[in-house]
Amino acid sequence: MTVPMNYYLVLSAAVFCIGLFGILTRENALMFLISVELMLNAANINLIAFSYFHGNLTGQVFALFTIGLAAAEVAIGIGIILVLVRNFRDVDVTKATTMRW
């Protein structure tokens, strides 16, 4: 007995919507990173589900690249957050409107 494709798509849509809600409503830079990670994981669920149901490995390979992209995004994001903390003593992104070169 296999799980129908619709279940994977609903799960992916729910995770993506939670990530989108987090980006639109939060002011904390760490929550931004977590929300982007949720959205990338929702895309991975879709890629792997379609790969499984079509019987090829293309979606799984793309999911691996997406995981690598997520790791690079976190590395850059943590660097930006450290600059925010150093300059503003907070991770609130609304206070960072005065950042300049």
Side-chain angles (χ1 to χ4, degrees):
M1 184 169 141
T2 63
V3 179
M5 179 77 145
N6 294 337
Y7 291 170
Y8 290 113
L9 297 179
V10 168
L11 173 67
S12 175
V15 171
F16 189 84
C17 288
I18 290 169
L20 184 64
F21 178 77
I23 284 180
L24 294 176
T25 59
R26 305 294 177 178
E27 296 178 350
N28 189 340
L30 290 173
M31 288 298 141
F32 277 179
L33 285 177
I34 292 171
S35 297
V36 170
E37 290 294 324
L38 281 174
M39 292 170 71
L40 287 172
N41 283 331
N44 283 341
I45 292 170
N46 272 337
L47 288 169
I48 292 174
F50 282 117
S51 173
Y52 175 73
F53 281 101
H54 288 292
N56 59 11
L57 296 176
T58 307
Q60 294 177 12
V61 171
F62 278 121
L64 286 175
F65 283 123
T66 307
I67 291 170
L69 175 76
E73 174 256 331
V74 166
I76 298 297
I78 293 295
I80 293 171
I81 288 172
L82 288 174
V83 169
L84 279 174
V85 169
R86 188 181 320 149
N87 290 338
F88 298 102
R89 304 279 187 245
D90 196 10
V91 290
D92 188 7
V93 294
T94 59
K95 294 182 181 178
T97 58
T98 60
M99 285 186 74
R100 298 207 169 126
W101 293 98

